[in-house]
Amino acid sequence: DIFTVSKEPEDEDIIWADVLKVADEAAERFVQMRETEGAKMKEDVESRLDFILKAVKKVEERSPQTVEEVLGNTQIDEQRILTEAAVYAEKIAVAEETVRLRSHIDQFRAILEQGGPVGRKLDFLIQEFNRETNTIGSKAQDIEIARIVVDVKSEIEKIREQIQNIE
């Protein structure tokens, strides 16, 4: 009976204004964080695309050498060997695949610049990266190219992991 507690009536408009202010600030910080994270992810993906392009260049440089090696080993029935070697060289040539892979990388970069929801498009292109890389790996009968293909596939997987976080 000594104390009397009196409670001020709460002004719901003031409370609601405070809540909205805090929510707006939180949403703004969240968007800023997402933009910063997106920029870092884009930077990471771009560097991986550059790595893949360098690897494609190495494959393009090495591929004709493997064809020359096949064509250079002609000692018996020269015409028959040349014909067989030419057929084999055509089977192991990867120029079409490297051209398509370069095209896919260009498309990937263009989509990154579009903005908006691009995750599904990028995921589809990553599948195409894998197809071309797998074809290069299966066609090329060269250990150096095989090593390059493994490195490229590793980078593709890292890009795939990054784009899983893109809307």
Side-chain angles (χ1 to χ4, degrees), residues 48-129:
R48 294 181 191 288
L49 293 174
D50 289 341
F51 176 88
I52 292 171
L53 280 175
K54 288 176 187 171
V56 167
K57 185 175 187 220
K58 288 179 187 175
V59 168
E60 289 170 336
E61 291 168 354
R62 178 69 186 146
S63 184
Q65 293 172 5
T66 61
V67 171
E68 286 176 24
E69 289 169 11
V70 168
L71 294 176
N73 294 330
T74 57
Q75 293 170 0
I76 310 169
D77 187 8
E78 210 170 291
Q79 189 57 40
R80 171 76 180 181
I81 296 292
L82 284 174
T83 303
E84 292 295 326
V87 169
Y88 179 70
E90 180 63 30
K91 285 183 182 179
I92 66 169
V94 294
E96 290 178 36
E97 290 76 12
T98 60
V99 167
R100 281 195 297 268
L101 189 51
R102 285 178 179 278
S103 172
H104 296 325
I105 290 171
D106 290 343
Q107 290 173 9
F108 195 99
R109 286 191 163 135
I111 290 170
L112 279 178
E113 295 303 317
Q114 285 178 359
V118 297
R120 289 184 191 259
K121 291 177 186 176
L122 296 177
D123 191 47
F124 172 76
L125 271 176
I126 284 297
Q127 291 176 25
E128 295 301 312
F129 281 30

Side-chain angles (χ1 to χ4, degrees), residues 39-54:
K40 292 289 184 190
M41 286 173 46
K42 181 181 177 188
E43 187 180 303
D44 180 66
V45 168
E46 287 283 354
S47 71
R48 294 181 191 288
L49 293 174
D50 289 341
F51 176 88
I52 292 171
L53 280 175
K54 288 176 187 171

Side-chain angles (χ1 to χ4, degrees), residues 12-58:
E12 289 184 22
D13 290 336
I14 293 174
I15 293 171
W16 188 243
D18 288 343
V19 168
L20 283 178
K21 181 180 173 186
V22 170
D24 284 344
E25 187 178 319
E28 187 176 315
R29 286 185 182 175
F30 176 74
V31 169
Q32 288 173 350
M33 180 195 71
R34 297 271 294 176
E35 287 174 352
T36 301
E37 180 184 18
K40 292 289 184 190
M41 286 173 46
K42 181 181 177 188
E43 187 180 303
D44 180 66
V45 168
E46 287 283 354
S47 71
R48 294 181 191 288
L49 293 174
D50 289 341
F51 176 88
I52 292 171
L53 280 175
K54 288 176 187 171
V56 167
K57 185 175 187 220
K58 288 179 187 175

Side-chain angles (χ1 to χ4, degrees), residues 41 44-45 157-166:
M41 286 173 46
D44 180 66
V45 168
E157 187 55 34
K158 290 172 187 170
I159 293 172
R160 178 189 301 280
E161 289 171 7
Q162 287 288 25
I163 65 170
Q164 296 303 311
N165 298 315
I166 297 176

